[in-house]
Amino acid sequence: MRGHRYSRFRAWFNLQQAHTSLSTEALAALTTFLTMSYILPVNAQILSNAIFLEQPQDLQAELVIATAVSAAVGSILMGIWANYPIALAPGMGINAFFAFAVVGQMGLPWPLALSAVLLEGIVFVLLTLTGMRSLIVNMIPMSLKVAIAAGVGLFIAYIGLGNAGIIIADAATKTKLTTFDTWPPILAALGILLTAFLCAKGVRGAIFWGVMITALAAWLVGAAPWPTALIQWPQWPSHLFGQALVGFGQLQPQQLGSFLLVTLVLLFTDMFDTVGTLSAVGVQAGFLNQQGHFPRALGAFMADAVGTIVGALFGTSTVTTYIESAAGIAVGGRTGLTALMVGGLFLLSLLFLPVTTAIPSFATAPALVLVGVFMARSLPDIPWSDLTEAIPAFLVVLVMPLSYSISEGLAVGFISYPIVKLAAGKGREVHPALWALAVIFIAHYFWR
């Protein structure tokens, strides 16, 4: 009976056809989880900048729970619906946009910001089912897609350096490097160097180990309190769950324009992240067909969209596919069983909440800086010799970190692109929808 069940299990995930085995898929799942598990403390640290503005109680543990649950649901659905070894979790960069731009700068209450995430997930489902997703993704020029990814990378790296106290404010020069006379910037800088060393050596889970070793050093020298326990049964996230539904009731007429703009930005960013990640890992693992398309793309996009909906209900920002899945694919992961196991590991991680919540914010700087490096690697793909492509792309990359706002960088890029093209006599190269998007961003400056 057991052998019959195992045969059906292998047949469900097509292990034999994919030339893999249960042990190989398990190793791939563990590798992927270790590589991306840094998101548990890092996402909670970033989102706390938004939620703690209005909530006096410590919600760090609830944010970790929301992160783990949404990652588990998205990854499990990816494994079952699409049978791909690709894991999902709340996206880096999108979480920074949520916390610092939407709540911090635009002033939307965080429950209303969660409502925008929920609405974005629902729209993503509808666009996927109707086939309009491809049309929207294709209308954005590749140079802006690359610039957005790189700009977000620089932005979150800047956030990491700032949170660690490595970059500090200065009246004369706006910002400057610290003097390294306290433990947080010293340990964060050493953690960044250690993580860079581990990444360069190709160590599996390098970012995870960089964060954990930095946190351990902080506990040892007294720069942060030790965890109160090793294992603890997680509590229901009562302060966060369902706030995305509550947020709709908080929407004021004067906030409607900002709310719709945020939803649109979240939708575009999620789609670009998903398309880019699927393309990258698809080439690596040989999933693409002769036309260069994913055979089961519908299931993959639906897993992403439903994961986002679940994440919003539990209290976290947009869920997206993770390029760190490539680590598991590199060791042999080829089926959805890998993603299914990654989801299980995220659920198991909920037992270690005391350790995760005790990690100080400066210990996450290595993760933010190194992820920034990975996101900026696409910069050579910008056609720098064509100024009509290079100028808008450069403005996106420049403005995001300097304005401390992803939305401002997007606005500058989408406004300047059609204008520069028109000035060069290349207005016909601009998709009509881009002109509409430019008008929306310009109007946003008059509404706020």
Side-chain angles (χ1 to χ4, degrees), residues 53-66:
L53 292 174
E54 303 176 25
Q55 288 286 94
Q57 62 262 49
D58 184 5
L59 298 182
Q60 198 76 16
E62 293 195 18
L63 287 168
V64 174
I65 292 172

Side-chain angles (χ1 to χ4, degrees), residues 268-327:
F268 281 169
T269 306
D270 191 11
M271 286 194 294
F272 298 156
D273 278 356
T274 304
V275 170
T277 301
L278 288 177
S279 299
V281 298
V283 171
Q284 177 190 6
F287 292 144
L288 303 184
N289 58 25
Q290 292 181 345
Q291 291 74 38
H293 300 152
F294 266 80
R296 299 178 297 279
L298 176 63
F301 279 101
M302 285 297 293
D304 189 302
V306 174
T308 292
I309 293 173
V310 172
L313 292 174
F314 272 85
T316 186
S317 52
T318 305
V319 171
T320 187
T321 54
Y322 260 61
I323 193 62
E324 284 84 351
S325 303

Side-chain angles (χ1 to χ4, degrees), residues 349-442:
S349 70
L350 290 174
L351 296 176
F352 300 95
L353 279 176
V355 177
T356 307
T357 55
I359 295 174
S361 60
F362 63 82
T364 62
L368 295 174
V369 172
L370 267 297
V371 170
V373 172
F374 297 146
M375 296 182 73
R377 288 189 298 183
S378 59
L379 278 173
D381 295 334
I382 296 175
W384 294 105
S385 59
D386 184 351
L387 290 181
T388 64
E389 299 286 340
I391 291 175
F394 176 77
L395 290 175
V396 170
V397 176
L398 179 68
V399 171
M400 276 191 188
L402 293 186
S403 66
Y404 215 74
S405 171
I406 294 173
S407 61
E408 300 292 359
L410 289 172
V412 169
F414 285 118
I415 291 172
S416 63
Y417 187 86
I419 293 176
V420 173
K421 283 288 186 181
L422 182 64
K426 299 181 178 180
R428 293 183 178 180
E429 295 181 7
V430 181
H431 194 286
L434 277 182
W435 285 105
L437 202 56
V439 172
I440 292 174
F441 274 109
I442 292 173

Side-chain angles (χ1 to χ4, degrees), residues 113-372:
L114 286 174
S115 299
V117 177
L118 178 59
L119 179 60
E120 177 256 312
I122 295 173
V123 173
F124 199 173
V125 170
L126 297 176
L127 291 178
T128 300
L129 292 177
T130 58
M132 292 181 62
R133 170 192 51 79
S134 299
L135 177 64
I136 294 176
V137 170
N138 292 335
M139 81 176 189
I140 308 298
M142 181 58 66
S143 61
L144 287 186
K145 293 178 184 177
V146 171
I148 291 169
V152 170
L154 293 179
F155 179 54
I156 63 176
Y158 185 59
I159 291 172
L161 295 176
N163 288 346
I166 295 176
I167 296 294
I168 58 176
D170 182 77
T173 62
K174 304 300 183 184
T175 59
K176 68 176 183 180
L177 199 64
T178 188
T179 54
F180 294 97
D181 53 359
T182 58
W183 277 119
I186 292 174
L187 294 176
L190 292 175
I192 292 171
L193 292 174
L194 172 64
T195 308
F197 175 83
L198 296 176
C199 287
K201 295 286 289 184
V203 176
R204 294 173 185 169
I207 295 178
F208 169 80
W209 294 118
V211 170
M212 293 307 299
I213 292 173
T214 305
L216 177 60
W219 298 331
L220 288 172
V221 302
W226 284 87
T228 56
L230 178 62
I231 296 177
Q232 176 182 305
W233 191 255
Q235 300 294 317
W236 181 256
S238 57
H239 296 97
L240 295 181
F241 185 79
Q243 288 298 310
L245 299 175
V246 174
F248 285 114
Q250 299 179 352
L251 180 61
Q252 302 297 320
Q254 66 271 20
Q255 296 173 322
L256 181 60
S258 297
F259 177 78
L260 294 177
L261 176 63
V262 168
T263 304
L264 187 65
V265 171
L266 290 172
L267 178 64
F268 281 169
T269 306
D270 191 11
M271 286 194 294
F272 298 156
D273 278 356
T274 304
V275 170
T277 301
L278 288 177
S279 299
V281 298
V283 171
Q284 177 190 6
F287 292 144
L288 303 184
N289 58 25
Q290 292 181 345
Q291 291 74 38
H293 300 152
F294 266 80
R296 299 178 297 279
L298 176 63
F301 279 101
M302 285 297 293
D304 189 302
V306 174
T308 292
I309 293 173
V310 172
L313 292 174
F314 272 85
T316 186
S317 52
T318 305
V319 171
T320 187
T321 54
Y322 260 61
I323 193 62
E324 284 84 351
S325 303
I329 293 173
V331 298
R334 289 295 181 273
T335 75
L337 183 56
T338 294
L340 186 67
M341 291 181 176
V342 171
L345 289 171
F346 269 112
L347 292 178
L348 185 63
S349 70
L350 290 174
L351 296 176
F352 300 95
L353 279 176
V355 177
T356 307
T357 55
I359 295 174
S361 60
F362 63 82
T364 62
L368 295 174
V369 172
L370 267 297
V371 170

